[in-house]
Structures are given as structure tokens and as C-alpha cells.
């Protein structure tokens, strides 16, 4: 018997979740209040770039396993399992904004007519499942109905650029629930994603909610720590890549997430570190380490701009710089909190002009993140973007940047100067190529 699953929220998490469950034969409906987005999805137009997602959606839409609608009321009576996967953007004070989650909960309470399992997939602070439960119950009380429902925490651990593989072959599935029936249902729908290992981790709801934040905070901490070491290496004349190898060989530390770079961005790490810090303060605890992680990261996003200023001076009027890489990481068009934004704005406010190239994120930059910066020109070809520029700045680890034509780069630039904000794994070896080459963590 195929599970009937509804997913509210057709953004990054909702679409990946819906497409992957549909791929395993479930009947899935993705719901979103954005009618234009829904119409586009029905036409095969995907609002985000994620490798493999467009094809996965197209296949399952055409075979009938995946549908899209703007009307929750049209599908909720036929739903057994309902995922909440709406956004939880960061408020100005750092807290997670739960208005979308609670609006959905209220709507569920107004509409349900039969028992249902509700799963929080959105990244939410501790106590959210209880708020969702209360919101639904309030509406049922107003309707004078007694309907059995349960709210479970099931956080996602998807990496942008690798989300399909992460969902299909998960490291773990965390289920926050003390209800044996709910746990059994979740295990059954996730069972097809496991072949040999049982990777379910069962815990109470609050622990599940906190685990998501703790995981991202740990990753962010490793990144900021290594970036701080990189900055120290530059000052003392050490090579951060050699230091990285030296510490990564310790099995207690490992090599993951200890590559220095221009700071972390995206929709998860910056937001989740802030939300966890806010939660800690709400309970009377001062999260000193989390604040330091953010401070280091905020400074690191300007590290390449500072190198450019050190080389060319504080007044950059008349200078043009080429940026390769706008997305916060490869494999996505996501520019939220991307180092490129901070680098470009810092250079242009000093008079510079920017020629920008990115294989996927150009439209995002034009439409949202750099739309008010009139000193940026966009190019469809990375080499054309170099013409008459005074230096090349690399800010995203796209594979196509790993082995460029250095002769073409040198021929197009006014001066053979490269500033590399990518991690050391992608570093060039330019000692004998006549380039001035500036890296993070090397003097």
C-alpha cells in the first residue's frame, strides 16, 4: 500500500523531500501558497538549482507519484502523513521566525477531519512541536471536534549541492517522538532508503529539535576555527594547508570541515548558529563560543577584499576586478550570506567596478542580492569577464575553476594577479607562471 504524503512548503527542503519520497513509490503532494510557483512546478520549472532535482521531479510528476497544489484543503482529507517544510527565516534579533510554521499549524487545525501524523521537517527551535500541537488543538477545540493527531520532529540534514544523495543515502534519520505508532510509521516510510544499516535514532522531541541546531553549530565552529588558524598562519609565516594536514590526521579531529576559506554562508549555518545562541540566551545562558563563531565568520567574509585593498590601496576608483563565483558554495544557485556579496559591496563602495561570473547564481545576484549595486556587470563566459580587469578573485569552489587556461587569464587581465578565496584543496600552483597569487592562510 502506497503512503499518501503531503508536504507543506515547496522550497528547497520540501521539493527534495517530496521528490525523493515520490521516487520510492509514495503518492506525494507538495503544497505552497505561492500560486505562481505551483503553476511553474506543474510546467516543470523548478525555483531552485539542485543537481538532479529537476529530472527527479519531472519523472515523478509524469508518472503520477508527485503533484503540486496551492490548496491544502483539496488534499488533506486524503493524507495520512503531513510534513511541515516551510521556511524559518532569521529575525533581526537572531531568533527563528516561526510565523509560517504556526500559520500552517493553524490551517491544519481548521481543516483536518480524521487522524493524521504531522511531522516538523522545518528547522525549528526547541519547543516548536509543542507550539504546533497547541495551535492545532486550539482550532479543533473551536470546531468542537475530537481528532487524534501527533506531532513528531524529524529534522533534515541535507547539503545544498548534494541533497538528493543525502536524502537517498542518509547518515541518519532522527525521529523525535515518544509515540510508538508514530515512530513505526516514520520507520516504514524511510525504510526504502536503507539497504544494510538501520540508522534510525529515536529520541524525545526537544532533543531532536536541538540536534539539528547543534549539528550545524558544530560544523560552523570547525570552519571558523580553521579560518582563525589560517589568519594566524599568515601572520607568523606558516602554511595553513600543512597545519590542516597535521591536525586532521588526528582521528579525534578528522579532515572534514577544516578547510579554510572566505567564510560560510547559505541558508543554514549562519541562521542556525544565531537561532541556537538566541535560544541559549532565552534560558539565561551566554553562548560565548557561538558568538565567537559568528564574529570570526563575519570578519572572514571580507578577508579577500582586505587583501585586494592591501595590494591596490583604499581608493579603488578606476579599478576593475573580476569575480569568479557568486554562490555561497558549488552545486547551488543560493547566494544567501555568500562571501561574494560582502566582497563585492566592500570593493564597489571604494570605487571599484566588478565583472562577475557564476555558472548558476547570476540571476539570483541580479534579482535579489546585488540588484541595487550598479557597479556590477555580469558575464556568461568566465574568460570574457576577465577583459581589462586588474585582478581575478575566486570565491566559490566550482569544478570548472579548478583547471582554467592560465594563458587566457594572463592575456585578458591588465596584470597577472589572482586572489583565491577558495579552500586549499582547490588552490592553484602558480609559483612559476608569472602570477601574483594571494591565498588564505599563506603569506
Amino acid at each position: 500500500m502506497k503512503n499518501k504524503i503531503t508536504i507543506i512548503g515547496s522550497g528547497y527542503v520540501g521539493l527534495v523531500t517530496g521528490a525523493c519520497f515520490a521516487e520510492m513509490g509514495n503518492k506525494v503532494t507538495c503544497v505552497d501558497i505561492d500560486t505562481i510557483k505551483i503553476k511553474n512546478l506543474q510546467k516543470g520549472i523548478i525555483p531552485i538549482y539542485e543537481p538532479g532535482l529537476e529530472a527527479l521531479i519531472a519523472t515523478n510528476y509524469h508518472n503520477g507519484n508527485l503533484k503540486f497544489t496551492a490548496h491544502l484543503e483539496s488534499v488533506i482529507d486524503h493524507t495520512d502523513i503531513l510534513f511541515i517544510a516551510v521556511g524559518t527565516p532569521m529575525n533581526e534579533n537572531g531568533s527563528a521566525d516561526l510565523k509560517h510554521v504556526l500559520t500552517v499549524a493553524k490551517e491544519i487545525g481548521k481543516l483536518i477531519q480524521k487522524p493524521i501524523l504531522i511531522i516538523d521537517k522545518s528547522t525549528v527551535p526547541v519547543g516548536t512541536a509543542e507550539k504546533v500541537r497547541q495551535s492545532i488543538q486550539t482550532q479543533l477545540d473551536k470546531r468542537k471536534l475530537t481528532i487524534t493527531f501527533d506531532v513528531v520532529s524529524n529534522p533534515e540534514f541535507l547539503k545544498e549541492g548534494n541533497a538528493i544523495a543525502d536524502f537517498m543515502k542518509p547518515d541518519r534519520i532522527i525521529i523525535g517522538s515518544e509515540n510508538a505508532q508514530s515512530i513505526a510509521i516514520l520507520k516504514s516510510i524511510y525504510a526504502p532508503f536503507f539497504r544494510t544499516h538501520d540508522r534510525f535514532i529515536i529520541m524525545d522531541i526537544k532533543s531532536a529539535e536541538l540536534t539539528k541546531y547543534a549539528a550545524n553549530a558544530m560544523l560552523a565552529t570547525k570552519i571558523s576555527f580553521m579560518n582563525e588558524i589560517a589568519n594566524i598562519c599568515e601572520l607568523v609565516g606558516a602554511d595553513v594547508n600543512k597545519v590542516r594536514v597535521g591536525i586532521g590526521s588526528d582521528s579525534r579531529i578528522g579532515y572534514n570541515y577544516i578547510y579554510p576559506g572566505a567564510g560560510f554562508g547559505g541558508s543554514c549555518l549562519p541562521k542556525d548558529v544565531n537561532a541556537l545562541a538566541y535560544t541559549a540566551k532565552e534560558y539565561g545562558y551566554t553562548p560565548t563560543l557561538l558568538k565567537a563563531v559568528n564574529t570570526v565568520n563575519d570578519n572572514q567574509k571580507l578577508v579577500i577584499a582586505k587583501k585586494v585593498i592591501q595590494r591596490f590601496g583604499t581608493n579603488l576608483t578606476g579599478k576593475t576586478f573580476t569575480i569568479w563565483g557568486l554562490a555561497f558554495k558549488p552545486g547551488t544557485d543560493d547566494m544567501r550570506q555568500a562571501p561574494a556579496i560582502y566582497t563585492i559591496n566592500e570593493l564597489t563602495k571604494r570605487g571599484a567596478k566588478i565583472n562577475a561570473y557564476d555558472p548558476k547564481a547570476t540571476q539570483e545576484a541580479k534579482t535579489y542580492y546585488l540588484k541595487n549595486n550598479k557597479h556590477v556587470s555580469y558575464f556568461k563566459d568566465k574568460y570574457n569577464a576577465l577583459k581589462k580587469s586588474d585582478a581575478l578573485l575566486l570565491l566559490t569552489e566550482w569544478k570548472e575553476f579548478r583547471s582554467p587556461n592560465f594563458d587566457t587569464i594572463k592575456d585578458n587581465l591588465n596584470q597577472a594577479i589572482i586572489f583565491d578565496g577558495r579552500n586549499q584543496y582547490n588552490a592553484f600552483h602558480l609559483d612559476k607562471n608569472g602570477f601574483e597569487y594571494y591565498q588564505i592562510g599563506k603569506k
Side-chain angles (χ1 to χ4, degrees):
M1 179 179 173
K2 293 182 178 181
N3 295 297
K4 296 175 182 178
I5 299 172
T6 293
I7 298 171
I8 303 178
S10 297
Y12 180 81
V13 174
L15 288 176
V16 172
T17 301
C20 290
F21 275 132
E23 180 71 5
M24 293 302 177
N26 299 289
K27 291 295 185 180
V28 180
T29 302
C30 289
V31 180
D32 202 285
I33 60 172
D34 186 337
T35 55
I36 295 175
K37 179 192 288 187
I38 291 298
K39 287 179 181 178
N40 283 336
L41 284 166
Q42 291 168 343
K43 297 174 184 176
I45 301 171
I46 312 303
I48 57 172
Y49 173 73
E50 176 64 36
L53 181 59
E54 185 174 355
L56 198 64
I57 287 175
T59 297
N60 286 283
Y61 181 74
H62 290 301
N63 68 21
N65 281 347
L66 183 61
K67 296 180 180 179
F68 302 100
T69 182
H71 306 288
L72 178 60
E73 67 275 10
S74 68
V75 295
I76 197 164
D77 288 345
H78 311 290
T79 296
D80 302 312
I81 305 163
L82 193 153
F83 284 86
I84 299 176
V86 295
T88 54
M90 185 171 64
N91 286 316
E92 289 184 7
N93 62 6
S95 64
D97 187 346
L98 295 178
K99 65 182 178 184
H100 301 306
V101 172
L102 297 180
T103 297
V104 166
K106 184 177 180 180
E107 192 68 13
I108 293 169
K110 288 180 177 180
L111 294 173
I112 56 173
Q113 300 286 348
K114 65 183 183 67
I116 193 169
L117 176 60
I118 297 146
I119 303 165
D120 272 341
K121 199 72 173 172
S122 300
T123 301
V124 294
V126 172
T128 300
E130 184 56 33
K131 291 179 180 178
V132 169
R133 188 190 309 276
Q134 290 173 358
S135 182
I136 295 171
Q137 189 60 54
T138 297
Q139 296 305 313
L140 290 176
D141 291 344
K142 288 181 179 179
R143 296 167 63 197
K144 298 180 180 180
L145 291 177
T146 300
I147 298 175
T148 301
F149 69 94
D150 192 26
V151 180
V152 174
S153 176
N154 174 224
E156 54 84 15
F157 296 95
L158 307 176
K159 299 186 295 292
E160 291 190 52
N162 199 56
I164 302 298
D166 287 344
F167 202 101
M168 293 294 193
K169 299 177 180 179
D171 294 325
R172 74 286 206 196
I173 298 294
I174 289 179
I175 301 173
S177 176
E178 296 175 4
N179 184 309
Q181 184 178 359
S182 297
I183 293 169
I185 292 171
L186 269 172
K187 281 188 172 184
S188 72
I189 64 171
Y190 278 112
F193 300 98
F194 297 102
R195 292 184 178 179
T196 57
H197 300 289
D198 186 341
R199 297 184 181 178
F200 293 108
I201 302 174
I202 313 301
M203 60 182 72
D204 61 276
I205 291 176
K206 288 185 177 181
S207 295
E209 290 171 332
L210 188 59
T211 295
K212 168 64 176 182
Y213 282 118
N216 278 348
M218 173 59 82
L219 297 175
T221 300
K222 292 183 75 172
I223 295 169
S224 280
F225 173 81
M226 206 62 212
N227 282 334
E228 186 132 283
I229 295 299
N231 295 334
I232 295 171
C233 284
E234 283 193 37
L235 293 172
V236 304
D239 185 333
V240 71
N241 196 45
K242 293 175 181 176
V243 173
R244 180 190 64 80
V245 172
I247 66 173
S249 60
D250 187 326
S251 60
R252 297 170 300 175
I253 298 173
Y255 292 105
N256 289 333
Y257 279 78
I258 60 168
Y259 289 93
F264 57 80
S267 63
C268 293
L269 265 60
K271 175 175 70 73
D272 292 354
V273 170
N274 278 302
L276 182 56
Y278 183 86
T279 296
K281 287 185 284 187
E282 271 195 315
Y283 284 82
Y285 180 79
T286 301
T288 305
L289 179 58
L290 295 178
K291 291 197 294 184
V293 167
N294 274 335
T295 298
V296 171
N297 191 57
D298 290 343
N299 292 335
Q300 197 69 14
K301 289 179 181 179
L302 291 172
V303 68
I304 291 298
K306 289 176 180 177
K307 288 179 179 293
V308 172
I309 292 164
Q310 187 176 18
R311 171 61 177 78
F312 288 95
T314 57
N315 185 349
L316 299 176
T317 302
K319 299 295 182 182
T320 299
F321 301 105
T322 295
I323 303 283
W324 281 5
L326 297 171
F328 88 94
K329 64 180 287 187
T332 181
D333 60 355
D334 194 346
M335 280 189 66
R336 285 173 286 188
Q337 302 288 319
I341 299 170
Y342 299 86
T343 302
I344 289 170
N345 287 336
E346 181 65 23
L347 297 180
T348 55
K349 81 177 185 181
R350 295 175 181 273
K353 293 182 179 180
I354 300 296
N355 293 343
Y357 168 80
D358 188 283
K360 295 296 179 183
T362 297
Q363 195 57 45
E364 289 289 298
K366 287 181 178 179
T367 306
Y368 302 108
Y369 300 100
L370 294 168
K371 66 179 181 180
N372 295 321
N373 194 325
K374 306 304 180 185
H375 305 289
V376 184
S377 299
Y378 299 93
F379 291 78
K380 294 182 179 179
D381 180 90
K382 61 180 179 286
Y383 295 114
N384 286 340
L386 295 167
K387 292 177 180 178
K388 297 182 180 180
S389 284
D390 293 287
L392 167 62
L393 284 60
L394 293 113
L395 296 175
T396 312
E397 293 96 352
W398 287 102
K399 289 181 180 179
E400 68 175 80
F401 300 156
R402 289 185 182 176
S403 300
N405 187 319
F406 291 107
D407 290 334
T408 302
I409 293 174
K410 190 182 292 185
D411 289 343
N412 280 288
L413 289 175
N414 291 336
Q415 304 173 73
I417 302 175
I418 295 177
F419 296 88
D420 199 339
R422 305 170 302 161
N423 65 52
Q424 293 289 313
Y425 178 81
N426 293 278
F428 299 139
H429 302 283
L430 295 174
D431 296 342
K432 299 179 181 179
N433 285 276
F435 281 88
E436 286 183 47
Y437 185 42
Y438 300 89
Q439 298 171 260
I440 294 172
K442 276 191 175 183
K443 204 162 186 177

